């Protein structure tokens, strides 16, 4: 008799239909909480499915999603992706059915960290990187985000949070990149602009307060979907990745005497939403300046996991390499740029520089270890006394379900804060959707290990804890941008946002 193959999903459907309670949940390692009847099936993206309670369903993923993809053969409909998308990110279940124009997704990739079978992954872009590296006609540079230096080692058997900054640089050079540079430079640039914008808003009450951070692309898209009326609160600053990309194809290109169309700009990120961000139509400032609008500021984004795959594919043993230094220019960082990778880090970095911009003095020690904004509490509040500004009240939030509490207060005009940091992913970038799957689902123990070592790298730069102390930042302003918020800086480093609320009907 001819045997018929049964897929994993079909197998668990069969067990569920037979009434074998909790099998799908138990085998997959997921929680046993019943949540059936509300999942989304492959051909049912416009109505809730009606499956047995043991089969919980899954989030919808558009085939055109630039950040994540799913292997249907591996999906067991365990519902873990639903859990994180609904209960941590507050995206799934927060809009009415049927969908209107697109499958709603903020591209954060948290589902890739919770999927027990690896069915959901980042969309692979490693082939594009290899093609660029094998093309002698182009100059291929790479920037690395702060969070990758305390997570990449986990893909090579090292304990969570291990600092591999120098080995990561060496590995990238071994891959053949023409320049290995640091996104932390872009973070320092972001702080110079964002802190200057904050001072301007606080001193001119007609501007929208509180100011929201804008460096997290998942968070930005969330606001565009659900809170377009609050978009004026978003800082106009691009993220560090995109500021770096714009400067790389203008200032760096001029310094190196390379035409921007002959540069391939690669970013190694802890975040799947960065793949979406680099493809936003407006992220071509360098191309516009060069009258080559098709030139993108950042060409390719790969995750921490993808970098590990590349190294293994090329037979590069990162652990066996001697540490190397970032190249110059665009390779210098301050401690403030490094802590961008943790929840509260953007706020702490911004207030350090805001203090200096307001007083022309270095910030006090209390702002160099600003404990009220540190840690994994979902929402944190703090105050900073800054001469010339007075008492600045701030809030810090990570996980977008937590964000809804703060946004409700802002909508109701009951927000006491002047500045709020939002990060989509729990823990900030160190817990991003492109990070190693060291624990399943992600744990605070892993997050804390990564966070602790980013703060350690910050304190390892005692003479350079703040962004304004980065000498390459001073140089780029002197030679190219003039000053924060200048006409040149506005053209390259600032952006606009898109009202996406017509793509869905948000639940009230």
């Amino acid at each position: 008799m001819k045997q018929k193959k049964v897929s994993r999903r079909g197998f668990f459907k069969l067990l569920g239909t037979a009434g074998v309670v909790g099998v799908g949940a138990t085998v997959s390692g997921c929680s046993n909480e019943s949540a059936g009847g509300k999942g989304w099936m492959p051909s049912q993206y416009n109505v809730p499915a009606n499956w047995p309670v043991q089969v919980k369903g899954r989030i919808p993923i558009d085939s055109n999603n630039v950040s994540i993809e799913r292997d249907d053969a591996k999906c067991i409909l365990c519902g873990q992706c639903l859990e994180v998308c609904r209960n941590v990110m507050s995206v799934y279940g927060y809009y009415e059915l049927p969908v209107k124009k697109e499958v709603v997704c903020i591209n954060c990739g948290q589902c890739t960290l919770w999927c027990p079978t690896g069915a959901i992954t980042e969309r692979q872009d490693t082939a594009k990187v290899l093609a660029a590296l094998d093309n002698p006609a182009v100059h291929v540079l790479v920037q690395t985000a702060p969070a990758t230096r305390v997570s990449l080692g986990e893909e090579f058997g090292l304990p969570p949070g291990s600092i591999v900054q120098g080995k990561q640089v060496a590995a990238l050079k071994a891959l053949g990149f023409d320049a290995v540079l640091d996104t932390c430079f872009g973070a320092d640039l972001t702080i110079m602009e964002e802190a200057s914008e904050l001072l301007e808003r606080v001193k001119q009450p007609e501007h929208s307060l509180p100011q929201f951070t804008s460096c997290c692309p998942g968070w930005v898209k969330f606001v565009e979907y659900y809170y377009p009326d609050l978009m004026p609160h978003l800082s106009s600053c691009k993220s560090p990745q995109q500021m770096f990309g714009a400067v790389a194809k203008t200032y760096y290109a001029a310094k190196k005497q390379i035409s921007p169309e002959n540069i391939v700009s690669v970013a190694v990120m802890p975040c799947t939403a960065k793949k979406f961000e680099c493809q936003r139509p407006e992220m071509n400032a360098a191309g516009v300046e060069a009258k080559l609008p098709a030139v993108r500021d950042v060409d390719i984004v790969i995750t921490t996991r993808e970098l590990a795959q590349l190294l293994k594919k090329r037979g590069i043993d990162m652990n066996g390499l001697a540490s190397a230094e970032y190249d110059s220019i665009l390779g210098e960082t301050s401690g403030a740029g490094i802590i961008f990778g943790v929840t509260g880090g953007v706020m702490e970095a911004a207030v350090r520089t805001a203090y200096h911009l307001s007083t022309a003095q270095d910030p006090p020690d209390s702002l160099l270890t600003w404990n009220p904004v540190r840690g994994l509490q979902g929402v944190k509040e703090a105050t900073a006394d800054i001469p010339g500004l007075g008492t600045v009240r701030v809030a810090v939030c990570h996980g977008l379900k937590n964000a809804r509490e703060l946004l409700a207060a802002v909508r109701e005009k009951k927000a006491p804060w002047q500045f709020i940091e939002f990060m989509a992913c729990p823990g900030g970038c160190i817990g991003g959707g492109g990070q190693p799957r060291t624990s399943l689902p992600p744990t605070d123990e892993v997050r804390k290990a990564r966070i602790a070592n980013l703060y350690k790298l910050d304190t390892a730069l005692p003479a350079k804890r703040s962004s304004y102390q980065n000498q390459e930042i001073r140089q780029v302003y002197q030679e190219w941008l003039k000053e924060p918020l200048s006409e040149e800086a506005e053209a390259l480093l600032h952006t606009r946002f898109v009202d996406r609320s017509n793509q869905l009907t948000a639940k009230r």
Side-chain angles (χ1 to χ4, degrees):
M1 186 174 76
K2 187 177 180 180
Q3 291 185 334
K4 182 180 179 182
K5 287 187 177 181
V6 179
S7 69
R8 255 186 255 191
R9 186 169 65 253
F11 173 70
F12 282 102
K13 178 186 175 184
L14 181 64
L15 289 174
T17 305
V20 183
V21 178
V23 169
T26 303
V27 173
S28 69
C30 308
S31 67
N32 283 310
E33 177 189 353
S34 293
K38 294 184 180 179
W40 293 49
M41 303 302 115
S43 60
Q44 280 186 302
Y45 278 359
N46 283 319
V47 292
N50 185 24
W51 282 48
V53 293
Q54 294 84 5
V55 177
K56 298 181 183 179
R58 64 188 190 175
I59 58 167
I61 298 176
D62 195 297
S63 60
N64 294 320
N65 192 308
V66 300
S67 296
I68 58 173
E69 57 188 353
R70 177 167 46 217
D71 182 346
D72 286 342
K74 294 181 179 179
C75 178
I76 58 174
L77 297 168
C78 66
Q80 288 295 87
C81 54
L82 293 174
E83 293 287 325
V84 67
C85 193
R86 174 176 50 216
N87 297 330
V88 178
M89 308 312 291
S90 72
V91 175
Y92 171 82
Y94 284 79
Y95 50 87
E96 302 287 354
L97 297 177
V99 295
K100 293 174 73 173
K101 292 187 177 180
E102 65 185 31
V103 175
V104 179
C105 179
I106 62 167
N107 305 91
C108 69
Q110 284 296 303
C111 52
T112 72
L113 298 178
W114 283 61
C115 178
T117 65
I120 306 176
T121 64
E122 63 272 82
R123 185 168 289 279
Q124 280 287 322
D125 288 306
T126 53
K128 296 178 184 176
V129 175
L130 291 174
L133 290 172
D134 290 339
N135 183 357
V138 295
H139 180 88
V140 190
L141 60 83
V142 62
Q143 56 169 303
T144 67
T148 64
R149 68 202 66 198
V150 292
S151 61
L152 179 62
E154 296 162 29
E155 292 281 353
F156 293 87
L158 298 180
S162 295
I163 298 172
V164 294
Q165 176 174 301
K167 290 183 179 293
Q168 179 179 241
V169 172
L172 289 164
K173 291 185 176 184
L175 274 173
F177 284 96
D178 296 301
V180 180
L181 306 169
D182 199 347
T183 310
C184 293
F185 172 90
D188 283 332
L189 200 54
T190 299
I191 286 302
M192 295 302 297
E193 295 294 319
E194 194 166 49
S196 298
E197 183 181 357
L198 176 64
L199 264 63
E200 188 175 86
R201 289 193 189 217
V202 170
K203 291 178 178 179
Q204 300 179 27
E206 65 272 16
H207 290 296
S208 297
L209 285 174
Q211 177 175 302
F212 298 163
T213 58
S214 57
C215 50
C216 171
W219 146 249
V220 167
K221 197 176 183 187
F222 179 83
V223 175
E224 292 175 330
Y225 272 140
Y226 291 104
Y227 297 90
D229 53 308
L230 299 184
M231 288 196 304
H233 292 270
L234 282 167
S235 166
S236 64
C237 291
K238 292 178 180 176
S239 72
Q241 170 184 287
Q242 294 304 133
M243 283 199 184
F244 183 101
V247 172
K249 291 196 178 182
T250 53
Y251 175 70
Y252 175 92
K255 283 277 193 180
K256 298 291 185 178
Q257 297 183 327
I258 306 170
S259 178
E261 70 264 36
N262 293 329
I263 293 176
V264 176
S265 179
V266 179
V268 180
M269 293 287 140
C271 171
T272 55
K274 292 292 182 182
K275 292 174 180 281
F276 168 80
E277 181 185 36
C278 79
Q279 295 186 39
R280 289 180 67 120
E282 64 270 21
M283 296 301 176
N284 66 337
V288 170
E289 182 166 301
K291 296 183 171 52
L292 298 166
V295 171
R296 309 298 301 165
D297 293 335
V298 174
D299 298 293
I300 309 167
V301 172
I302 60 172
T303 64
T304 314
R305 296 192 297 262
E306 285 177 283
L307 174 56
Q309 292 163 18
L310 273 176
L311 295 176
K312 292 170 184 177
K313 185 171 184 176
R314 287 288 172 97
I316 297 171
D317 176 16
M318 187 187 72
N319 292 339
L321 297 175
S323 293
E325 298 295 328
Y326 284 105
D327 294 316
S328 184
I329 49 178
L330 314 190
E332 184 180 345
T333 183
S334 72
I338 291 171
I339 63 172
F340 245 70
V342 310
T343 172
V346 176
M347 179 62 68
E348 186 168 341
V351 169
R352 290 178 189 179
T353 289
Y355 188 98
H356 173 75
L357 293 176
S358 181
T359 65
Q361 298 176 357
D362 293 335
D365 289 345
S366 60
L367 294 181
L368 297 179
T369 306
W370 201 17
N371 288 319
V373 300
R374 296 187 176 190
L376 288 173
Q377 183 179 338
V379 175
K380 295 159 283 190
E381 297 181 76
T383 59
D385 293 322
I386 301 178
L389 285 184
T391 299
V392 177
R393 295 177 61 92
V394 306
V396 171
C397 171
H398 59 121
L400 293 178
K401 192 166 186 179
N402 293 325
R404 289 182 180 272
E405 300 176 23
L406 300 182
L407 294 169
V410 175
R411 262 186 176 168
E412 295 167 7
K413 303 194 183 303
K414 296 179 180 178
W417 315 287
Q418 283 83 44
F419 195 19
I420 308 178
E421 175 199 300
F422 291 94
M423 290 192 183
C425 296
C429 305
I430 56 90
Q435 290 284 69
R437 288 159 48 93
T438 305
S439 62
L440 183 68
T443 65
D444 280 349
E445 286 72 26
V446 171
R447 295 185 186 110
K448 287 176 181 177
R450 295 170 181 171
I451 288 170
N453 277 338
L454 282 186
Y455 284 128
K456 183 177 180 179
L457 288 171
D458 170 31
T459 57
L461 296 170
K464 201 161 39 176
R465 299 288 300 280
S466 299
S467 299
Y468 62 87
Q469 294 169 323
N470 183 331
Q471 295 305 309
E472 287 191 357
I473 289 292
R474 294 184 176 187
Q475 185 179 350
V476 77
Y477 277 110
Q478 290 168 359
E479 297 180 1
W480 201 261
L481 297 172
K482 296 181 180 177
E483 62 182 2
L485 306 184
S486 67
E487 184 177 337
E488 292 80 1
E490 291 284 349
L492 280 183
L493 310 181
H494 293 255
T495 190
R496 61 189 184 278
F497 304 102
V498 178
D499 183 347
R500 300 179 192 274
S501 60
N502 65 343
Q503 306 294 316
L504 54 76
T505 301
K507 286 185 177 179
R508 297 296 178 185

